[in-house]
Amino acid sequence: MTKINGKTEAVAGLSIAEIVEKFGYNPARVAVELNGNIVPKAKYAETVAGENDVIEIVSFVGGG
Amino acid sequence: MIPSKGEFFNGLAAKHGLELQKKFEAASVAVCGAGGLGSNIAIALARAGVGRLKIIDFDKIEITNFNRQQYFVDQIGLFKAEALKENLAKIAPYCEVTAEVAKITEENVKELLKGFPIVCEAFDKAESKAMLVNAVLENMPETYLVSGSGMASLNSANLIKTRKITDKFYLCGDMESDVDAGNGLFGSRVLVCAAHQAHTILRIIAGEFDI
């Protein structure tokens, strides 16, 4: 199963764009790593999660 | 009388050790944003003896900054990057500081950060943080990046941590306290996050890459 932020999720076959939307993240506030590599913003729609992929979605919050 | 460069170096080496001090002196760090995070991070790095800092910020100092940002009252209205350079000169006179009054965008990020192997994200807006992090990770794969997210609210300071997200991307903060959710921004807690970021940068310079 695919892992997102350490949790097992049934998302294999979905694109990064779909995953970001499914979990309620604001695409303008995230950085997404797939197996340790950044997924370029321009490739969210075409990058598809596989069964053994490890995805990290960093969602930034305001303040500094 | 300002002490000589050698006297300063020796003073720092007496606290940090000679080998480490040489590494700090040879290091170059770009600090993106000179607000609550960036002004405190820059001061911590300059005090440690980091040799070269670039401060990038487009904003001016205003009254609401004083709970957490390292400026003086007579600097209200000045550009933060330039005012911080002045303040750093009084703290660490041999730190080579470049002040860049500029807004970092996807288009200029590579040019602005060229020559800086370590980049510190110290913005306030979530969208700006995400833009910079994506731009650096996508376009500058050799660069170490230390970012901060989640330091608002009066929640426990112990919730603020450093995480290593990828090989060269470190993220400090509690990851969730958002000013946009109505949380206040308290200087003490912002400083905890700034200290995490500054300390992570010093560890990277020292060759300590684990968290």
Tab-separated table of all heavy atoms in Angstrom, chain B residues 70-102:
chain	number	residue	atom	x	y	z
B	70	GLN	N	14.153	41.571	15.262
B	70	GLN	CA	15.327	42.192	15.899
B	70	GLN	C	15.669	43.554	15.281
B	70	GLN	O	16.709	43.717	14.639
B	70	GLN	CB	16.514	41.242	15.810
B	70	GLN	CG	16.315	39.941	16.581
B	70	GLN	CD	16.235	40.125	18.078
B	70	GLN	OE1	16.543	41.197	18.601
B	70	GLN	NE2	15.828	39.107	18.783
B	71	TYR	N	14.763	44.513	15.509
B	71	TYR	CA	15.005	45.869	15.018
B	71	TYR	C	14.875	46.850	16.168
B	71	TYR	O	14.355	46.522	17.232
B	71	TYR	CB	14.021	46.196	13.886
B	71	TYR	CG	14.214	45.267	12.713
B	71	TYR	CD1	13.308	44.233	12.469
B	71	TYR	CD2	15.337	45.378	11.897
B	71	TYR	CE1	13.516	43.344	11.424
B	71	TYR	CE2	15.554	44.490	10.861
B	71	TYR	CZ	14.643	43.471	10.623
B	71	TYR	OH	14.862	42.590	9.610
B	72	PHE	N	15.334	48.084	15.908
B	72	PHE	CA	15.234	49.141	16.903
B	72	PHE	C	14.154	50.131	16.475
B	72	PHE	O	13.843	50.262	15.279
B	72	PHE	CB	16.596	49.808	17.074
B	72	PHE	CG	17.640	48.855	17.589
B	72	PHE	CD1	18.562	48.267	16.735
B	72	PHE	CD2	17.673	48.499	18.939
B	72	PHE	CE1	19.499	47.356	17.194
B	72	PHE	CE2	18.603	47.582	19.410
B	72	PHE	CZ	19.519	47.014	18.541
B	73	VAL	N	13.601	50.814	17.467
B	73	VAL	CA	12.463	51.695	17.218
B	73	VAL	C	12.802	52.768	16.175
B	73	VAL	O	11.958	53.138	15.351
B	73	VAL	CB	12.001	52.335	18.555
B	73	VAL	CG1	10.911	53.359	18.320
B	73	VAL	CG2	11.507	51.254	19.507
B	74	ASP	N	14.042	53.255	16.198
B	74	ASP	CA	14.398	54.300	15.224
B	74	ASP	C	14.586	53.743	13.806
B	74	ASP	O	14.925	54.483	12.886
B	74	ASP	CB	15.646	55.071	15.680
B	74	ASP	CG	16.875	54.189	15.781
B	74	ASP	OD1	16.787	52.976	15.480
B	74	ASP	OD2	17.941	54.708	16.173
B	75	GLN	N	14.341	52.442	13.635
B	75	GLN	CA	14.455	51.850	12.293
B	75	GLN	C	13.086	51.652	11.626
B	75	GLN	O	13.024	51.141	10.500
B	75	GLN	CB	15.198	50.501	12.375
B	75	GLN	CG	16.672	50.659	12.763
B	75	GLN	CD	17.391	49.327	12.894
B	75	GLN	OE1	16.861	48.389	13.484
B	75	GLN	NE2	18.577	49.231	12.328
B	76	ILE	N	12.017	52.050	12.308
B	76	ILE	CA	10.687	51.910	11.703
B	76	ILE	C	10.666	52.642	10.362
B	76	ILE	O	11.142	53.778	10.255
B	76	ILE	CB	9.593	52.461	12.656
B	76	ILE	CG1	9.433	51.524	13.862
B	76	ILE	CG2	8.249	52.619	11.930
B	76	ILE	CD1	8.498	52.042	14.943
B	77	GLY	N	10.141	51.971	9.349
B	77	GLY	CA	10.058	52.571	8.014
B	77	GLY	C	11.211	52.191	7.106
B	77	GLY	O	11.134	52.387	5.890
B	78	LEU	N	12.288	51.668	7.679
B	78	LEU	CA	13.432	51.253	6.845
B	78	LEU	C	13.171	49.871	6.244
B	78	LEU	O	12.379	49.093	6.773
B	78	LEU	CB	14.721	51.186	7.681
B	78	LEU	CG	15.203	52.469	8.349
B	78	LEU	CD1	16.509	52.205	9.107
B	78	LEU	CD2	15.392	53.590	7.329
B	79	PHE	N	13.867	49.573	5.156
B	79	PHE	CA	13.806	48.220	4.612
B	79	PHE	C	14.470	47.265	5.602
B	79	PHE	O	15.572	47.543	6.110
B	79	PHE	CB	14.523	48.141	3.259
B	79	PHE	CG	13.715	48.728	2.134
B	79	PHE	CD1	14.122	49.893	1.487
B	79	PHE	CD2	12.547	48.108	1.720
B	79	PHE	CE1	13.366	50.428	0.444
B	79	PHE	CE2	11.787	48.637	0.681
B	79	PHE	CZ	12.201	49.797	0.043
B	80	LYS	N	13.799	46.123	5.844
B	80	LYS	CA	14.323	45.174	6.832
B	80	LYS	C	15.704	44.649	6.453
B	80	LYS	O	16.580	44.515	7.318
B	80	LYS	CB	13.363	43.984	6.979
B	80	LYS	CG	12.060	44.359	7.662
B	80	LYS	CD	11.147	43.156	7.818
B	80	LYS	CE	9.843	43.599	8.459
B	80	LYS	NZ	8.908	42.474	8.630
B	81	ALA	N	15.899	44.330	5.175
B	81	ALA	CA	17.191	43.752	4.759
B	81	ALA	C	18.330	44.712	5.095
B	81	ALA	O	19.373	44.305	5.624
B	81	ALA	CB	17.169	43.428	3.270
B	82	GLU	N	18.102	45.995	4.821
B	82	GLU	CA	19.159	46.990	5.060
B	82	GLU	C	19.349	47.264	6.547
B	82	GLU	O	20.480	47.408	7.027
B	82	GLU	CB	18.837	48.270	4.288
B	82	GLU	CG	18.958	48.046	2.777
B	82	GLU	CD	18.454	49.213	1.934
B	82	GLU	OE1	17.836	50.138	2.486
B	82	GLU	OE2	18.698	49.168	0.706
B	83	ALA	N	18.241	47.334	7.285
B	83	ALA	CA	18.334	47.578	8.732
B	83	ALA	C	19.016	46.403	9.433
B	83	ALA	O	19.826	46.591	10.355
B	83	ALA	CB	16.943	47.808	9.312
B	84	LEU	N	18.713	45.195	8.978
B	84	LEU	CA	19.326	44.018	9.602
B	84	LEU	C	20.828	43.991	9.322
B	84	LEU	O	21.624	43.644	10.204
B	84	LEU	CB	18.647	42.732	9.092
B	84	LEU	CG	19.087	41.426	9.754
B	84	LEU	CD1	18.928	41.476	11.278
B	84	LEU	CD2	18.291	40.244	9.196
B	85	LYS	N	21.204	44.401	8.131
B	85	LYS	CA	22.633	44.473	7.817
B	85	LYS	C	23.345	45.439	8.776
B	85	LYS	O	24.417	45.124	9.298
B	85	LYS	CB	22.821	44.923	6.359
B	85	LYS	CG	24.280	45.015	5.957
B	85	LYS	CD	24.462	45.452	4.518
B	85	LYS	CE	25.956	45.707	4.297
B	85	LYS	NZ	26.294	45.877	2.890
B	86	GLU	N	22.705	46.595	9.029
B	86	GLU	CA	23.262	47.569	9.994
B	86	GLU	C	23.408	46.941	11.376
B	86	GLU	O	24.443	47.084	12.036
B	86	GLU	CB	22.282	48.752	10.188
B	86	GLU	CG	22.455	49.911	9.274
B	86	GLU	CD	21.366	50.961	9.565
B	86	GLU	OE1	20.988	51.152	10.747
B	86	GLU	OE2	20.885	51.561	8.589
B	87	ASN	N	22.358	46.240	11.826
B	87	ASN	CA	22.388	45.654	13.171
B	87	ASN	C	23.431	44.542	13.271
B	87	ASN	O	24.126	44.416	14.285
B	87	ASN	CB	21.000	45.139	13.545
B	87	ASN	CG	19.974	46.266	13.589
B	87	ASN	OD1	20.344	47.453	13.553
B	87	ASN	ND2	18.710	45.920	13.652
B	88	LEU	N	23.537	43.761	12.202
B	88	LEU	CA	24.526	42.680	12.194
B	88	LEU	C	25.947	43.232	12.250
B	88	LEU	O	26.836	42.636	12.870
B	88	LEU	CB	24.352	41.809	10.942
B	88	LEU	CG	23.104	40.927	10.925
B	88	LEU	CD1	22.869	40.354	9.532
B	88	LEU	CD2	23.216	39.803	11.948
B	89	ALA	N	26.157	44.390	11.634
B	89	ALA	CA	27.503	44.996	11.633
B	89	ALA	C	27.948	45.357	13.053
B	89	ALA	O	29.145	45.367	13.354
B	89	ALA	CB	27.520	46.224	10.736
B	90	LYS	N	26.951	45.648	13.916
B	90	LYS	CA	27.287	45.989	15.308
B	90	LYS	C	27.519	44.743	16.160
B	90	LYS	O	28.083	44.822	17.250
B	90	LYS	CB	26.153	46.814	15.923
B	90	LYS	CG	26.023	48.189	15.299
B	90	LYS	CD	24.939	48.977	15.987
B	90	LYS	CE	24.737	50.307	15.293
B	90	LYS	NZ	23.539	51.005	15.788
B	91	ILE	N	27.036	43.617	15.692
B	91	ILE	CA	27.138	42.360	16.450
B	91	ILE	C	28.339	41.544	15.987
B	91	ILE	O	29.074	40.977	16.788
B	91	ILE	CB	25.844	41.533	16.265
B	91	ILE	CG1	24.667	42.211	16.962
B	91	ILE	CG2	26.030	40.112	16.790
B	91	ILE	CD1	23.317	41.620	16.597
B	92	ALA	N	28.476	41.476	14.652
B	92	ALA	CA	29.499	40.618	14.047
B	92	ALA	C	30.158	41.393	12.903
B	92	ALA	O	29.824	41.205	11.742
B	92	ALA	CB	28.856	39.336	13.534
B	93	PRO	N	31.080	42.294	13.245
B	93	PRO	CA	31.593	43.235	12.243
B	93	PRO	C	32.338	42.581	11.088
B	93	PRO	O	32.495	43.203	10.042
B	93	PRO	CB	32.536	44.134	13.055
B	93	PRO	CG	32.824	43.382	14.309
B	93	PRO	CD	31.637	42.530	14.580
B	94	TYR	N	32.759	41.322	11.247
B	94	TYR	CA	33.524	40.686	10.173
B	94	TYR	C	32.691	39.668	9.389
B	94	TYR	O	33.224	38.965	8.525
B	94	TYR	CB	34.805	40.066	10.725
B	94	TYR	CG	35.627	41.127	11.425
B	94	TYR	CD1	35.681	41.205	12.804
B	94	TYR	CD2	36.286	42.110	10.672
B	94	TYR	CE1	36.395	42.211	13.436
B	94	TYR	CE2	36.999	43.124	11.298
B	94	TYR	CZ	37.049	43.168	12.685
B	94	TYR	OH	37.742	44.180	13.298
B	95	CYS	N	31.403	39.640	9.673
B	95	CYS	CA	30.499	38.828	8.856
B	95	CYS	C	30.187	39.642	7.597
B	95	CYS	O	29.789	40.798	7.685
B	95	CYS	CB	29.217	38.540	9.639
B	95	CYS	SG	27.991	37.595	8.711
B	96	GLU	N	30.396	39.031	6.442
B	96	GLU	CA	30.166	39.734	5.175
B	96	GLU	C	28.675	39.613	4.828
B	96	GLU	O	28.210	38.538	4.451
B	96	GLU	CB	31.027	39.081	4.091
B	96	GLU	CG	31.059	39.824	2.779
B	96	GLU	CD	31.757	38.989	1.711
B	96	GLU	OE1	32.836	38.434	1.994
B	96	GLU	OE2	31.199	38.876	0.611
B	97	VAL	N	27.952	40.709	4.998
B	97	VAL	CA	26.498	40.669	4.830
B	97	VAL	C	26.094	41.405	3.556
B	97	VAL	O	26.499	42.548	3.337
B	97	VAL	CB	25.776	41.304	6.040
B	97	VAL	CG1	24.263	41.242	5.853
B	97	VAL	CG2	26.172	40.613	7.343
B	98	THR	N	25.300	40.755	2.737
B	98	THR	CA	24.702	41.406	1.570
B	98	THR	C	23.220	41.584	1.851
B	98	THR	O	22.542	40.616	2.223
B	98	THR	CB	24.850	40.526	0.308
B	98	THR	OG1	26.203	40.125	0.194
B	98	THR	CG2	24.422	41.276	-0.939
B	99	ALA	N	22.726	42.816	1.706
B	99	ALA	CA	21.295	43.074	1.882
B	99	ALA	C	20.667	43.237	0.516
B	99	ALA	O	21.108	44.057	-0.283
B	99	ALA	CB	21.088	44.340	2.717
B	100	GLU	N	19.666	42.447	0.244
B	100	GLU	CA	18.995	42.500	-1.059
B	100	GLU	C	17.530	42.840	-0.815
B	100	GLU	O	16.794	42.036	-0.239
B	100	GLU	CB	19.138	41.138	-1.746
B	100	GLU	CG	18.553	41.054	-3.112
B	100	GLU	CD	19.562	41.326	-4.216
B	100	GLU	OE1	20.705	40.872	-4.105
B	100	GLU	OE2	19.163	42.001	-5.185
B	101	VAL	N	17.125	44.052	-1.223
B	101	VAL	CA	15.713	44.423	-1.103
B	101	VAL	C	15.014	43.902	-2.352
B	101	VAL	O	15.096	44.498	-3.428
B	101	VAL	CB	15.533	45.950	-0.972
B	101	VAL	CG1	14.046	46.304	-0.892
B	101	VAL	CG2	16.264	46.456	0.265
B	102	ALA	N	14.395	42.751	-2.214
B	102	ALA	CA	13.791	42.109	-3.383
B	102	ALA	C	12.744	41.112	-2.939
B	102	ALA	O	12.812	40.554	-1.841
B	102	ALA	CB	14.870	41.375	-4.186
